Amino acid sequence: MILKDNNDLEQLRHAGKILSDVLKVCAKAVHAGVTTAALDLLAEDMIRAEGAIPSFLNYKPSGAAYPYPAALCISVNDEVVHGIPSEEHVLQDGDMVSLDLGLSYNGYFVDSAVTVFVGAGDAKGQKLMDATREALSAGIAATKVGGYVGDIGAAIEKVAKRKGLSVVEELGGHAVGKHVHEKPFIANFGRPGEGERIPDGMVLALEPIFTEGKKTVSVAEDQWTYITRDGSRAAHFEQTLVVTKSGVEILTPF
Ligand code: MF3
Ligand code: CO
């Protein structure tokens, strides 16, 4: 969406605050022995308690086999995105866990994701997580009114290259605000000055997704979960922001 007045901004800020708070609590609840279904329930309950609506639950993009069945996407280790929470999936010490959550408040949609370890994790995995998070910051720093979508993709890709990591090309950021996904798609790679231009007041979700191995992914049997083909782990960080002439405001701070 394109922001049209201060009310839009206030509503989005409120939605973003709820999302940040819920995601923080969910990230803190990541422990060995916890099921991914329990984390999903926690997210959904907190969202509804705030008078908001989980926006991924029952979301069915064109081409999807069936609606997404949960509030929270939980993708563990070689799962890249859109992992479906399950009573059978018990988290283990050392797992790398991506939590991706969207909600709407009064019709205003925001989207955010973080990746955390169960327990202390390992140095190689930490490097992947740090780089993906750094790439999100680099993407945000490259975002400006009148700039190009390619500026953002290039900034994100540059971090992956420098760290020897791979960019998952099928997945990326998008505009947001009035729907779960809005155009344009924002690839996590590209060239400065290419692609669409960013208008004043646009609401965007940037979301670098990197792997520690090859970039190729496939979709699992459940038809939702993306997994790396080589079994390497993936990390995902996402924030929703509003871009105006006065700069970028992050609506979903970590
Ligand atoms: N969070 C994803 C994104 O950022 C969207 C998830 S769609 C769902 O684009 F249906 F899987 F929830
Ligand atoms: Co998103």
Side-chain angles (χ1 to χ4, degrees):
M1 71 176 280
I2 309 285
L3 221 61
K4 56 179 193 314
D5 54 29
N6 207 52
N7 176 54
D8 278 347
L9 185 56
E10 291 298 326
Q11 303 267 8
L12 281 163
R13 281 179 177 148
H14 188 73
K17 168 90 173 93
I18 297 170
L19 181 52
S20 279
D21 290 348
V22 175
L23 201 53
K24 203 175 295 165
V25 171
C26 291
K28 281 214 167 110
V30 167
H31 293 294
V34 170
T35 68
T36 54
L39 294 173
D40 176 57
L41 191 64
L42 177 65
E44 181 168 0
D45 284 350
M46 286 186 68
I47 288 170
R48 294 201 192 279
E50 293 296 331
I53 299 169
S55 55
F56 297 168
L57 182 63
N58 295 322
Y59 176 62
K60 188 177 182 297
S62 63
Y66 59 96
Y68 188 74
L72 183 62
C73 295
I74 310 179
S75 309
V76 181
N77 297 330
D78 63 326
E79 297 174 350
V80 180
V81 293
H82 302 172
I84 298 174
S86 156
E87 293 287 356
E88 272 79 61
H89 193 155
V90 181
L91 294 176
Q92 311 286 321
D93 187 50
D95 281 346
M96 184 182 290
V97 183
S98 297
L99 305 175
D100 184 357
L101 188 60
L103 62 79
S104 68
Y105 180 80
N106 280 347
Y108 290 84
F109 287 70
V110 290
D111 191 353
S112 184
V114 292
T115 302
V116 296
F117 273 128
V118 180
D122 60 288
K124 185 167 180 252
Q126 190 64 53
K127 189 186 140 200
L128 169 66
M129 284 160 52
D130 290 348
T132 311
R133 192 170 172 148
E134 183 187 330
L136 174 56
S137 298
I140 293 170
T143 302
K144 59 174 187 293
V145 171
Y148 296 83
V149 161
D151 303 346
I152 302 171
I156 290 171
E157 183 183 16
K158 200 169 149 191
V159 177
K161 285 221 165 111
R162 178 156 47 81
K163 306 280 183 177
L165 301 165
S166 297
V167 172
V168 176
E169 293 176 353
E170 291 86 338
L171 302 160
H174 49 93
V176 67
K178 282 285 160 192
H179 307 276
V180 175
H181 289 133
E182 298 172 20
K183 282 180 181 170
F185 174 75
I186 302 171
N188 290 319
F189 60 94
R191 286 199 244 167
E194 291 193 350
E196 280 160 82
R197 296 187 81 159
I198 298 160
D200 188 20
M202 186 168 254
V203 184
L204 293 177
L206 301 189
E207 48 184 317
I209 298 150
F210 293 172
T211 77
E212 54 187 356
K214 296 211 172 81
K215 66 183 178 186
T216 40
V217 293
S218 47
V219 178
E221 233 167 276
D222 66 18
Q223 311 236 50
W224 268 106
T225 312
Y226 280 79
I227 52 175
T228 59
R229 286 207 182 240
D230 63 4
S232 69
R233 292 175 298 183
H236 179 200
F237 285 86
E238 175 174 23
Q239 279 176 330
T240 299
L241 28 119
V242 50
V243 192
T244 66
K245 284 178 186 148
S246 26
V248 170
E249 177 176 335
I250 297 170
L251 296 167
T252 56
F254 296 143

